[in-house]
Amino acid sequence: MAKRDYYEVLGADRGASADELKKAYRKKAKELHPDRNSDNPNAESQFKEANEAYEVLKDADKKAAYDRYGHAAFEGGMGGGQRQGGNGDFSSAFSDVFEDLFGDFMGGGAQRGGRQRASRGSDLRYNLRISLEDAFLGLQKAITVPTSVSCNSCDGSGAEGGAEPQTCPTCSGMGKVRAQQGFFTVERTCPTCSGVGQIIKNPCRTCGGSGREEKERSLSVNIPAGVETGTRIRLSGEGEAGLRGGPSGDLYIFIEVAEHELFQRDGIDLFCRVPVSMATAAIGGDVEVPTIDGGRSRVKVPAGSQSGRQMRLRAKGMPALRGGGTGDMFIELAVETPVNLTSKQKELLREFEKLSEENNPLLTSFFSKVKSFWADMKN
Ligand SMILES: [Zn+2]
Ligand SMILES: [Zn+2]
């Protein structure tokens, strides 16, 4: 079956803003809410479709890829987001999306989706600090993530010996109980099964019935060249294991690129403040500057350069994250006034000053302005 266009699925225009997409999605999600669609057998698959479409279009990077390549952008596990056919199963989509929309219906939103048998594992966040050099080159990084994995002894079921859990007698598997409170019937999460709808007679001794075990996992993460602070890398299914056989969450690597002592970064461009001596700035010369690839470039300092003068070294900046060229490096000259002069040096500079009446155009024009300012004030 051919996949429908994501915009069509959401009923949104191609040019829709993030806000408009969100609105369109919420509208669809409400329409397709399972409580309102018990007689529509297609609601669940349509809901999944809408959820998948929005998952892509709400993410600026994925949206850009989709706008360019269509569904082909996500086939075959491209880049960091190895998504395979939508975001997990229906129940996970349900709990994520309806928590804010329908949280109140479910009793304050404290418990996610009372009717779930299995629940999706949490997403995990891992903060990774890397150097600017690593961000320039990209790197393969081994990380250790404390997480919970599916329990080996019970195969994730939570029941000793892998026995099937039983339907909760209190709520008959609904995960919710009703109570009369004045005029209202209030639905609450079932206290016996905590909303799971099932109970385990003999909990697994290894995991205590949760179906999960705490483990440290080692993962090798591919950090592409060009990442910057705030870049997120998603490792699908590498988050916490789901409860009772539910799907795993995702692992998000949050990148932080450390400050560099020589280079400042602005997007794909780099800046480097290079001090030059007063004499070099005045008579001109060469300075050698470092480049982020570990090399060096000779830069010509024109005679009469002032502090703040900028020069550009083309393509010596950072690589763009998804291809698309390389930034530039900007050199900014900082003319250094010499300090700790000897009496000989002072002597020479005084001598120099006497000969320098015509050499400071800024100074000359400043003082002529000051003079006329004072003159005007007197009149
Ligand atoms: Zn129950
Ligand atoms: Zn177990």
Side-chain angles (χ1 to χ4, degrees), residues 99 103 106-113 189:
E99 197 165 42
M106 304 223 169
Q111 51 285 324
R112 296 153 65 98
T189 300

Side-chain angles (χ1 to χ4, degrees), residues 168 171 190 193:
C168 170
C171 62
C190 171
C193 61

Side-chain angles (χ1 to χ4, degrees), residues 168-173 175 190 192-195 197-198:
C168 170
T170 309
C171 62
S172 317
C190 171
T192 309
C193 61
S194 311
Q198 292 177 319

